[in-house]
Amino acid sequence: MAAAPEEHPADDLARLAGLHGVATSYRPAPDRTVHVPASAVTSALAALGVDASGPDAVRAALADRERELRERLLPPTVVRWAGAEPPAALAGLPAGTRLRVRTEDGEDRDGLADLPPGVHRLTATAPDGRTGEAHLVVAPDRLPAPPGRSYGLLVQLYSLLSHRSWGMGDLADLAELAGWAGRTAGAGFVQVNPLHAAVPGDPTDPSPYRPSSRRFPDPVHLRVEDVPEFAYAGGRERLGGLVERAGRLRAAVLDKGALIDRDAVWELKREALEAVLEVPLGPGRQAAYDAFRAAHGRALVDHATWCALAEVHGPDWRAWPAALRDPRSAGTARARSALAGRVEFHSRLAWLTDGQLRAAQRAAREAGMPVGIVHDLAVGVHPAGADAWAQQDVFAAGMSVGAPPDAFNARGQDWSLPPWRPDRLAATGYAPYRELLRALFRYAGALRIDHVMGLFRLWWVPEGSPPTDGTYVHYDADAMLAVLALEATRAGAVVIGEDLGTVEPGVREALQRRGVLGTSVLWFERDWEGDGRPLPPERWRADCLATATTHDLPPTAARLTGDHVELRDRLGLLTRPAAEERAEATADAAEWLALLGSLGLLDLTAAGPPGSDEEEEIRAVHRFLLRTPARLIGVWLPDGAGDRRPQNLPGTWDEYPNWRLPLADSEGRPVPLEELLTSPRLLGLLDVLRQGRPPEGRGRTRRRD
């Protein structure tokens, strides 16, 4: 139990917290400072292995930390940006200190001259005989920039059913969409929701932002028939029956209004894959699988082991027998051996899914997309899942990521995601982070990082406390950005940061400096420091993905008509009288439409009230986005069908079918992929974007400014 706040000398606790990156206060606005509870500070310190339970413990821990910082030659990780001056950690070494580097490739070098990009081992030897070792991250100055200006489609993959998918959109549907969008519509990218492996359950949590693992994808997205061994599998009658059942599941969603049932889809696919994976791999396929296993090493073994153990003991490792809660225990090793067949099954599934993800990216690039598939990196993982089990040493026990109270949520938020420990990341040279990025960049043309502010700091909430009683814990943003720049450059991939909401001063500037694009959503782009009116296009930032909406917001049609207010009213989510909310929503839409009209993007003389000609108004919104200098323009695919329903309604659980809705038209009728791509409404919207592209040959150079 943490001691009461008054038992601590405030200055000692504040100094100790500061030396470990734990905040004792924060500023939600320039003119407002909020002090966090001392209990949150002591809990965060405890999760970092620092005892601050009383005045004596605080003084002892403070003395230990100050002595450690005073005596060490090097911090655990040092960053060297290409073309920059030596970092302060090296510039401050005693005169005459000798530096030796062992590179990633095993080459020994004296000094820091001409080091290749990578994460190397640095040894410093001072004249007095003291030595220090550190991981040295040598990173490119900036991340890759988009190759010219382009527009793309944003879609939740599960919602995009075709007449061939098994009840939810799959990776073959993604490849079809990308191939069509690149060749026919001139799109440069397709952005999808996180496709990370989910925690199985009854029912499975449908949110793609609470995965079991971010290191491996979910095999529920596989197109079973596209697995080469499917053609040679025995039990054709059994497989045929599964395909028929999948057809009925698909028809229930597309024709009968059923919600997407991920668990039912997976049950069919799992049974089919059991038969398919009985087929031996050919020599070439076996070599490819062996290479995949070698590339992912222990991470893949851990993931497959967790999946196999979850089948026996349930999906929450915290409730497993004690011997199995430690991934390195002898009991786990024995269980892995006993379940070798199931471990192999789940390893093969990870490989098959990786292969179809890479096939989708190839299809996108072959269709002429300069970026291709943009994958989404969730901010964290489920505490019961595979990553939290396998990487317990780098997660902060007893803490959860969330957000402090703000203008939109006075109670704050607790996302129930365990945070990484910044000290353990630094001690490993950010190995878990590097491995995660490397795995995703195998098949991503670009990466969207959810809550990119988490590279700088995260709001830690102690277990059992309300979100209001948390505190910010800081990460080494320089190191996090350097590793990101290193891996993105190696992959030739663009990075987009989701930087919506409250952002600490200096964060957007730091991200822009390193080439991480931001996210700008039309309805939020107002002159907040001036008259609060809609921001004209020339004042938008260039280094961003500009969109009209996101998966957490109403589609554009609902925003223009005010349907989003009616939905929240029906669900009891309004915090003010409905009439006030409606009036504000109407005024908001009217202001934007007036700006569109003044710019000649919408004929107001022929228009009625907002929403009366929603197709033309939605096209005008996207004409406006093209007027901005944004490097990437995103089109929310449901806007091309007229769908009025958000895919996720924050603040709801069972009250609303979050993450389970198929893409539909303005009447709520599900629209299959084949029909959507011939829809005059979608084609008319994309024609606006296609006409707004730069002429062929312009805007194709990679900018580094």
Side-chain angles (χ1 to χ4, degrees):
M1 290 290 292
E6 60 270 21
E7 295 181 11
H8 292 303
D11 54 345
D12 284 352
L13 181 60
R15 286 168 57 204
L16 178 63
L19 292 176
H20 288 279
V22 178
T24 55
S25 65
Y26 67 98
R27 300 180 68 185
D31 59 348
R32 183 167 171 249
T33 298
V34 176
H35 295 278
V36 301
S39 59
V41 175
T42 56
S43 294
L45 288 169
L48 294 170
V50 180
D51 181 5
S53 57
D56 291 342
V58 169
R59 283 191 289 269
L62 182 59
D64 287 345
R65 182 62 169 168
E66 289 176 336
R67 181 171 56 254
E68 174 196 347
L69 295 176
R70 186 171 57 250
E71 294 178 354
R72 76 182 187 188
L73 276 180
L74 295 171
T77 294
V78 176
V79 172
R80 177 79 184 268
W81 292 99
E85 294 296 320
L90 301 184
L93 289 171
T97 297
R98 182 186 179 193
L99 299 178
R100 288 187 60 81
V101 176
R102 168 155 285 195
T103 69
E104 281 186 341
D105 297 331
E107 180 185 357
D108 289 320
R109 297 194 183 190
D110 285 317
L112 304 180
D114 302 320
L115 286 174
V119 181
H120 315 303
R121 289 296 296 172
L122 171 66
T123 302
T125 304
D128 61 6
R130 288 182 300 149
T131 63
E133 290 192 349
H135 300 274
L136 175 64
V137 183
V138 179
D141 182 59
R142 286 176 63 84
L143 284 77
R149 196 183 199 212
S150 64
Y151 88 92
L153 306 176
L154 319 178
V155 65
Q156 300 282 290
L157 180 57
Y158 58 82
S159 72
L160 188 69
L161 285 75
S162 71
H163 287 306
R164 295 181 178 179
S165 47
W166 290 25
M168 63 181 282
D170 62 29
L171 292 171
D173 294 325
L174 177 58
E176 291 282 0
L177 176 64
W180 175 88
R183 290 188 175 89
T184 304
F189 61 92
V190 174
Q191 178 180 302
V192 295
N193 54 286
L195 303 183
H196 310 314
V199 177
D202 187 21
T204 297
D205 184 345
S207 172
Y209 290 93
R210 280 170 53 82
S212 170
S213 173
R214 297 187 296 174
R215 298 186 291 177
F216 295 97
D218 199 318
V220 75
H221 301 111
L222 282 169
R223 172 68 62 84
V224 177
E225 297 94 327
D226 285 358
V227 177
E229 289 73 34
F230 179 84
Y232 305 101
R236 305 309 299 181
E237 184 175 344
R238 174 188 171 200
L239 284 174
L242 292 172
V243 172
E244 288 181 11
R245 287 166 58 191
R248 292 195 293 272
L249 196 59
R250 176 176 60 245
V253 175
L254 292 177
D255 303 331
K256 299 178 181 178
L259 296 174
I260 291 169
D261 188 340
R262 182 196 178 283
D263 292 333
V265 172
W266 175 236
E267 183 59 30
L268 292 178
K269 290 190 177 183
R270 183 199 57 75
E271 189 173 344
L273 289 163
E274 297 277 5
V276 171
L277 267 61
E278 290 177 2
V279 178
L281 295 172
R285 296 268 291 162
Q286 183 66 52
Y289 176 44
D290 291 344
F292 178 81
R293 288 192 297 183
H296 290 282
R298 191 173 78 176
L300 178 61
V301 173
D302 285 343
H303 177 72
T305 300
W306 182 91
C307 292
L309 289 171
E311 291 178 335
V312 178
H313 300 286
D316 189 344
W317 64 270
R318 298 167 298 184
W320 291 354
L324 302 180
R325 296 175 203 163
D326 179 358
R328 309 288 164 246
S329 73
T332 296
R334 287 191 296 270
R336 181 184 298 115
S337 178
L339 296 170
R342 300 309 297 168
V343 173
E344 169 67 9
F345 175 72
H346 291 290
S347 296
R348 285 270 297 274
L349 291 183
W351 172 61
L352 292 174
T353 312
D354 176 89
Q356 290 195 7
L357 282 160
R358 287 187 290 113
Q361 173 63 1
R362 281 197 305 273
R365 298 305 294 269
E366 289 170 1
M369 286 188 170
V371 175
I373 309 300
V374 182
H375 284 278
D376 198 347
L377 174 61
V379 70
V381 295
H382 199 291
D387 283 1
W389 174 72
Q391 297 181 309
Q392 294 173 54
D393 55 328
V394 294
F395 282 104
M399 306 300 290
S400 174
V401 175
D406 57 30
F408 301 99
N409 195 322
R411 299 177 182 176
Q413 301 176 61
D414 183 346
W415 303 329
S416 299
L417 306 170
W420 269 339
R421 285 181 54 165
D423 59 328
R424 293 283 172 80
L425 287 177
T428 63
Y430 294 82
Y433 180 46
R434 285 154 46 205
E435 292 166 4
L436 168 61
L437 293 173
R438 202 168 296 158
L440 290 165
F441 282 135
R442 281 174 60 91
Y443 46 75
L447 188 64
R448 174 193 181 269
I449 300 181
D450 189 43
H451 194 70
V452 72
M453 297 82 79
L455 300 182
F456 295 75
R457 66 178 184 178
L458 284 171
W459 184 255
W460 286 21
V461 181
E463 188 175 295
S465 297
T468 50
D469 291 350
T471 187
Y472 277 114
V473 175
H474 290 263
Y475 293 76
D476 184 343
D478 204 42
M480 299 288 275
L481 286 171
V483 171
L484 181 61
L486 175 64
E487 297 302 336
T489 300
R490 285 172 164 172
V494 176
V495 174
I496 303 163
E498 185 272 297
D499 57 352
L500 303 175
T502 303
V503 183
E504 184 181 12
V507 167
R508 286 197 175 103
E509 292 78 5
L511 293 171
Q512 182 185 38
R513 165 70 183 85
R514 296 302 175 190
V516 178
L517 302 184
T519 301
S520 294
V521 178
L522 182 107
W523 307 99
F524 299 155
E525 291 296 313
R526 288 177 170 270
D527 184 5
W528 299 114
E529 296 180 358
D531 58 13
R533 298 183 67 81
L535 205 62
E538 65 274 10
R539 291 182 57 192
W540 284 44
R541 55 182 169 169
D543 296 320
C544 75
L545 165 66
T547 72
T549 190
T550 74
H551 57 267
D552 282 335
L553 296 172
T556 307
R559 180 76 74 164
L560 290 169
T561 59
D563 282 7
H564 65 300
V565 176
E566 304 305 324
L567 172 61
R568 293 172 62 231
D569 187 27
R570 288 196 302 272
L571 296 175
L573 298 177
L574 298 182
T575 57
R576 296 183 297 168
E580 289 184 22
E581 294 274 0
R582 290 191 196 98
E584 183 176 290
T586 299
D588 185 50
E591 273 194 307
W592 277 104
L593 293 175
L595 177 57
L596 299 180
S598 70
L599 295 172
L601 304 175
L602 178 65
D603 184 1
L604 294 178
T605 62
S612 59
D613 186 359
E614 68 177 48
E615 287 189 50
E616 176 56 25
E617 290 170 355
I618 291 172
R619 288 193 289 267
V621 163
H622 289 84
R623 292 188 190 103
F624 177 91
L625 294 178
L626 287 170
R627 286 278 189 96
T628 73
R631 299 210 180 170
L632 300 177
I633 308 294
V635 180
W636 179 235
L637 195 56
D639 278 350
D643 202 341
R644 284 170 161 75
R645 308 162 308 166
Q647 283 291 314
N648 177 51
L649 191 58
T652 63
W653 182 248
D654 292 331
E655 307 94 323
Y656 187 79
N658 296 316
W659 317 113
R660 289 171 287 172
L661 292 171
L663 194 149
D665 63 16
S666 59
E667 303 300 321
R669 181 183 66 85
V671 180
L673 174 65
E674 296 87 347
E675 181 181 329
L676 175 68
L677 300 188
T678 61
S679 160
R681 177 166 182 155
L682 176 63
L683 295 175
L685 175 57
L686 297 188
D687 193 50
V688 168
L689 277 297
R690 184 168 51 245
Q691 292 176 8
R693 290 192 306 155
E696 200 64 33
R698 289 181 55 197
R700 293 289 178 184
T701 57
R702 175 165 293 186
R703 290 180 56 187
R704 303 293 292 179
D705 55 297

